[in-house]
């Protein structure tokens, strides 16, 4: 009975850690502070929750441990972007593409920034780079479609949106307005 009680208490304590991703990764960082992956994942979850300063801090810690960790660079750039530090975000995404030229997400994220800045030709070029890596990337087709739509190229935009929909049915985020 005593052993079962001890094990039950241990299980209860462990379940508290697994209650969500944030508590899990905080525990991982506490137990493995010298692993870049734990800091990068914690930073990613801080970013998702909107705690951008904490996200930036954790991404930087990951990069101190492993300077060429592309996921941490991507996370850092994403947090910079959400914080309005656009030039810093672009620099980090570009660094990610140089370190790992086969990381499609960095090109897609650059393309999204260029779309937001109304630099549509640059956006299309970045999305095309992502498609050269991953021909079945719905997000890249969606980004090209948005750029084409903003350039007034409706037929081309619809073709890209259709490709995005075929790849990711129900997950495309564009919306037509009058």
């Amino acid at each position: 009975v005593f052993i079962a009680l001890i094990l039950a208490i241990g299980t209860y304590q462990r379940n508290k850690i697994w209650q969500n991703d944030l508590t899990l990764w905080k525990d991982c960082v506490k137990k493995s502070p010298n692993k870049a992956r734990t800091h990068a994942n914690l930073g990613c979850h801080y970013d998702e929750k909107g705690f951008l300063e904490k996200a930036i801090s954790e991404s930087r810690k990951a990069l101190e441990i492993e300077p060429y960790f592309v996921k941490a660079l991507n996370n850092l750039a994403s947090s910079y972007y959400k914080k309005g530090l656009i030039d810093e975000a672009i620099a980090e995404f570009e660094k990610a593409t140089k370190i790992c030229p086969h990381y499609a997400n960095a090109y897609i994220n650059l393309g999204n920034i260029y779309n937001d800045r109304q630099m549509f030709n640059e956006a299309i070029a970045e999305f095309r780079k992502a498609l050269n890596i991953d021909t079945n990337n719905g997000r890249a087709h969606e980004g090209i479609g948005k750029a084409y739509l903003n350039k007034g190229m409706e037929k081309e935009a619809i073709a890209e949106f259709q490709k995005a929909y075929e790849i990711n049915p129900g997950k495309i985020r564009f919306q037509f307005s009058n």
Side-chain angles (χ1 to χ4, degrees):
V1 172
F2 179 72
I3 292 172
L5 182 62
I6 296 295
L7 292 173
I9 291 169
T11 299
Y12 176 76
Q13 294 289 346
R14 196 72 193 148
N15 283 341
K16 284 173 45 179
I17 292 167
W18 282 82
Q19 69 186 352
N20 62 50
D21 290 336
L22 206 51
T23 57
L24 173 65
W25 288 110
K26 279 183 182 179
D27 184 64
C28 288
V29 164
K30 189 168 111 180
K31 291 178 177 164
S32 299
N34 296 320
K35 294 200 179 219
R37 181 174 157 235
T38 59
H39 289 285
N41 286 338
L42 180 56
C44 183
H45 290 291
Y46 276 138
D47 181 270
E48 288 173 2
K49 299 290 184 195
F51 302 119
L52 298 178
E53 287 300 325
K54 289 181 179 183
I56 290 168
S57 175
E58 290 300 326
S59 294
R60 285 181 178 159
K61 286 177 189 172
L63 290 166
E64 286 172 17
I65 296 165
E66 195 175 320
Y68 300 109
F69 190 7
V70 177
K71 183 178 179 188
L73 279 169
N74 197 59
N75 291 347
L76 178 61
S78 173
S79 297
Y80 280 155
Y81 181 74
K82 289 176 183 176
K83 197 167 180 203
L85 303 169
I86 309 303
D87 292 334
E88 291 85 345
I90 290 171
E92 296 302 328
F93 285 133
E94 286 176 345
K95 191 185 301 181
T97 64
K98 285 178 180 55
I99 289 171
C100 186
H102 294 90
Y103 187 64
N105 284 341
Y107 295 108
I108 290 169
N109 291 329
L110 273 171
N112 287 331
I113 289 175
Y114 293 144
N115 260 345
D116 288 349
R117 286 191 154 185
Q118 299 183 351
M119 299 167 63
F120 304 121
N121 292 333
E122 292 84 349
I124 292 167
E126 295 302 325
F127 293 125
R128 293 266 180 238
K129 290 175 189 174
L131 287 172
N132 286 336
I133 298 163
D134 178 7
T135 56
N136 268 346
N137 194 307
R139 290 175 45 223
H141 285 292
E142 180 184 349
I144 294 170
K146 287 178 182 178
Y148 281 154
L149 192 61
N150 285 311
K151 288 178 71 165
M153 301 169 67
E154 289 85 9
K155 286 182 182 178
E156 294 85 350
I158 289 170
E160 291 297 329
F161 289 140
Q162 285 175 330
K163 290 176 189 173
Y165 184 79
E166 288 169 10
I167 295 167
N168 295 324
K171 293 191 178 188
I172 49 177
R173 299 170 296 241
F174 69 90
Q175 181 176 357
F176 291 101
S177 59
N178 295 333

